[in-house]
Amino acid sequence: MLKSTLANRGMVVAPHSLAAQAGLAVLRDGGNALEAAVATAAALAVVYPHMTGIGGDAFWLFKEPGSAPVSIDGSGRLAMDLDACFYHEHGHNVIPTRGPLAANSVAGTVSAWDKALDYSSRLWRGRMPLSRILADAIAYAEQGYPVTESQARTTRERIEELSDLPGFADIFLVNGAARPMGSTERNPALAETLKQIARHGSNTFYRGELATTIADELWRIGSPVRQRDLYPHQAEFVTPLSTEFAGGRLYNTAPPTQGLASLMILSLFERAGGLNTAPDSAEYIHLLVEATKLAFQIRDRYVRDPQDMPIAAGEFLSDERLDALAARISPDSTLPWRGPGDLGDTTWFGVVDSEGRSVSVIQSLYHEYGSGVVLKDTGIVWQNRGISFSLQPDTPRSIAPGRKPFHTLNPALAELSDGRVMVYGSMGGDGQPQTQAALLSRIAGFGIGLQDAITRPRWLLGRTWGNPSTSLKLESRFPSAIVEALAQLGQDVETVGAFDEIVGHAGAISRTPEGLLEGGFDPRSDGCVAAY
């Protein structure tokens, strides 16, 4: 799949085709890009439950022509009383990856929907009722949807660690086994939850009757999250980070996300001479990988809850700091790499409407199925984002009550040198900045079409599920000469599948000043570009 989808009225790209079509339906009914994005987000929360859900977090980045980009931080804080002693008293030296004790932070996704729709009604003349925006998601939860190959495989692979967790088997297993691809899955409790949100507004998730129901079940199963943690939560508008690349300007989300790393990789790559290489050559990949190592060192040392950062994130994007780091990149040798890699699955999606208003969103449960805990009364799968904290004192991400966890989530937006505005992104933990770098450098740096840029083989530096190695993993479609050249440069390389899900589910939409829309989706996903 190398040909982009073209349209001139509206476009949605998502990693699940039903979700993309739910967003497009809202556009066709007269909704704007933010309203369509909420419809897409809600549908994904139902039909792609191993990747996302309303029990997780979200970050939004959007702009309209002639205005500066706007960002929404829809991430939740740790429970107010949670500290290292809590876990030590429960017999743990690290935060458990799964189960009620991993469900330790507030879910911010629904608050981000509320913030986006408030902005829509105030500034984009949005008038679509929430009941219409959530209609497709409610229908899929109530009447059922076909299980994708990705969900079926993920459930099979994780069944041993998830099957005995509260609520999981009731929703996602049949007679103790994963549902096969194509079988129908329903979540009637989630349908009723979405109906309550449609009737009473998103605030009911945190301060209404629904919040009480959620908090009661979290308490019963042993999660540290209480109603007092839900009640004060609100999403926030945050100024995005920004840098230049290939004559254009890139935007990404501020901490606690790793948006800084995504911007740094591209800036360092350009400074190291990356735009003078041939796209997809060994030299090209080598420079991006070396830039990734440096950006991740900064990220892992400094990026966390912005209230606790000793240096403001924007300072790392100064010419002085970037030039100094880029000087450490050699075209002929490799930098040390001991990064453990950060796991995680999520969903990125993008929307552009007929007036050129562009939206880039990432919404996630963190690990596959998050904590694995399913609240039976509401059908909500709760995230495990708070496991990114350390129980060791005096580390960059030491646990403390009410802190925001570090997030791999980071939706991207670019103003390209030719006048196009592009929204783009990917799922995949540490792979998100790397995939963004591959897409943006191919498109903005070398003029490659969106679908071609997404379909071409990609790579991942770092660890993946079930693989402790931190090697440079390349899809097997790369020619053997490229793999061998990278090994000769000192990269620790190995090959993975031809279209391997570990390198992410990417997507992108661009719009020219004249209004032409171009979109691309990832053949590694279950998605599509929906347009009219």
Side-chain angles (χ1 to χ4, degrees):
M1 179 64 183
L2 299 177
K3 294 182 180 179
S4 298
T5 300
L6 303 178
N8 56 15
R9 295 186 66 185
M11 185 173 285
V12 183
V13 61
H16 195 297
S17 58
L18 296 180
Q21 293 171 61
L24 183 67
V26 167
L27 290 181
R28 294 182 74 104
D29 284 354
N32 63 41
L34 285 171
E35 293 168 325
V38 173
T40 304
L44 279 170
V46 175
V47 303
Y48 233 32
H50 57 309
M51 296 284 184
T52 188
I54 65 172
D57 284 342
F59 292 87
W60 292 55
L61 183 59
F62 54 91
K63 79 179 298 294
E64 62 179 329
S67 297
V70 177
S71 175
I72 296 173
D73 177 343
S75 64
R77 297 183 179 276
L78 281 179
M80 293 180 186
D81 295 335
L82 198 58
D83 57 17
C85 291
F86 173 89
Y87 287 101
H88 295 324
E89 289 169 359
H90 283 78
H92 298 285
N93 292 320
V94 296
I95 301 173
T97 301
R98 305 288 196 180
L101 297 185
N104 60 10
S105 65
V106 173
T109 284
V110 175
S111 70
W113 298 359
D114 183 69
K115 208 74 168 178
L117 293 176
D118 174 66
Y119 190 97
S120 163
S121 64
R122 289 187 296 108
L123 298 170
W124 287 7
R125 303 180 301 281
R127 296 293 180 268
M128 185 162 285
L130 189 54
S131 57
R132 169 61 192 90
I133 292 171
L134 301 183
D136 281 7
I138 291 169
Y140 288 131
E142 197 165 49
Q143 300 168 23
Y145 63 92
V147 172
T148 62
E149 189 275 335
S150 174
Q151 183 185 344
R153 183 186 67 254
T154 299
T155 309
R156 288 195 306 271
E157 292 174 349
R158 303 295 163 218
I159 197 167
E160 185 174 340
E161 61 186 285
L162 298 175
S163 59
D164 292 333
L165 295 179
F168 187 86
D170 293 339
I171 299 296
F172 297 115
L173 304 180
V174 178
N175 297 323
R179 288 185 177 85
M181 181 183 72
S183 60
T184 299
E185 186 164 276
R186 298 177 178 85
N187 191 336
L190 182 58
E192 181 56 36
T193 294
L194 291 170
K195 288 178 183 178
Q196 288 190 56
I197 294 171
R199 286 193 299 267
H200 304 297
S202 300
N203 269 334
T204 189
F205 191 96
Y206 303 97
R207 289 168 282 279
E209 182 179 339
L210 179 58
T212 301
T213 303
I214 291 170
D216 285 349
E217 187 165 2
L218 286 169
W219 174 77
R220 288 199 306 271
I221 65 171
S223 164
V225 177
R226 300 286 182 266
Q227 191 159 6
R228 63 177 176 269
D229 301 307
L230 297 174
Y231 188 86
H233 174 81
Q234 294 187 35
E236 304 171 294
F237 289 117
V238 179
T239 302
L241 299 176
S242 171
T243 193
E244 294 181 353
F245 179 79
R249 180 152 289 276
L250 313 182
Y251 299 90
N252 214 304
T253 47
T257 82
Q258 65 172 337
L260 172 64
S262 293
L263 296 178
M264 288 183 69
I265 291 170
L266 286 159
S267 290
L268 294 171
F269 169 74
E270 183 173 19
R271 283 170 163 78
L275 295 181
N276 297 321
T277 63
D280 297 339
S281 64
E283 295 78 12
Y284 161 86
I285 297 169
H286 173 74
L287 292 179
L288 279 171
V289 169
E290 296 303 288
T292 298
K293 294 175 183 177
L294 292 171
F296 282 2
Q297 287 176 14
I298 297 295
R299 179 201 68 179
D300 294 342
R301 182 176 178 182
Y302 293 103
V303 176
R304 50 190 181 271
D305 187 327
Q307 294 180 359
D308 299 320
M309 287 181 61
I311 302 174
E315 293 188 26
F316 293 104
L317 295 171
S318 70
D319 288 337
E320 181 181 6
R321 286 181 180 270
L322 290 171
D323 288 343
L325 282 173
R328 298 174 55 191
I329 297 176
S330 168
D332 304 315
S333 61
T334 59
L335 293 162
W337 170 248
R338 296 183 299 275
D342 190 82
L343 309 174
D345 287 299
T346 180
T347 52
W348 176 88
F349 55 95
V351 183
V352 180
D353 65 22
S354 60
E355 295 190 31
R357 295 171 295 205
S358 304
V359 183
S360 180
V361 185
I362 285 189
Q363 183 173 283
S364 174
L365 294 170
Y366 196 29
H367 289 183
E368 296 147 321
Y369 287 113
S371 67
V373 168
V374 183
L375 306 184
K376 291 192 291 185
D377 293 344
T378 57
I380 298 171
V381 183
W382 208 264
Q383 67 181 357
N384 63 342
R385 183 61 62 174
I387 70 170
S388 62
F389 282 105
S390 170
L391 298 185
Q392 301 301 313
D394 302 322
T395 69
R397 296 175 191 150
S398 295
I399 193 169
R403 273 186 177 166
K404 286 198 170 191
F406 164 72
H407 277 269
T408 51
L409 309 182
N410 67 116
L413 186 150
E415 297 170 334
L416 305 183
S417 61
D418 60 8
R420 287 181 293 169
V421 171
M422 187 172 83
V423 292
Y424 62 104
S426 177
M427 70 85 152
D430 273 358
Q432 289 183 40
Q434 300 180 63
T435 294
Q436 288 185 22
L439 300 191
L440 204 283
S441 61
R442 287 167 172 170
I443 295 164
F446 300 104
I448 295 170
L450 271 63
Q451 187 60 64
D452 188 2
I454 294 167
T455 304
R456 289 187 182 204
R458 297 201 298 267
W459 61 90
L460 173 70
L461 178 68
R463 186 164 56 95
T464 62
W465 278 114
N467 187 341
S469 74
T470 59
S471 62
L472 175 61
K473 299 165 180 65
L474 297 107
E475 287 188 307
S476 60
R477 289 179 293 135
F478 278 112
S480 58
I482 298 293
V483 179
E484 292 168 5
L486 286 166
Q488 290 174 0
L489 286 167
Q491 301 291 354
D492 178 19
V493 296
E494 64 175 295
T495 56
V496 295
F499 285 90
D500 204 308
E501 201 171 33
I502 69 168
V503 300
H505 294 166
I509 304 173
S510 69
R511 183 181 188 271
T512 68
E514 296 76 30
L516 175 65
L517 301 174
E518 178 186 0
F521 78 99
D522 204 320
R524 303 163 186 84
S525 75
D526 299 289
C528 74
V529 176
Y532 79 120

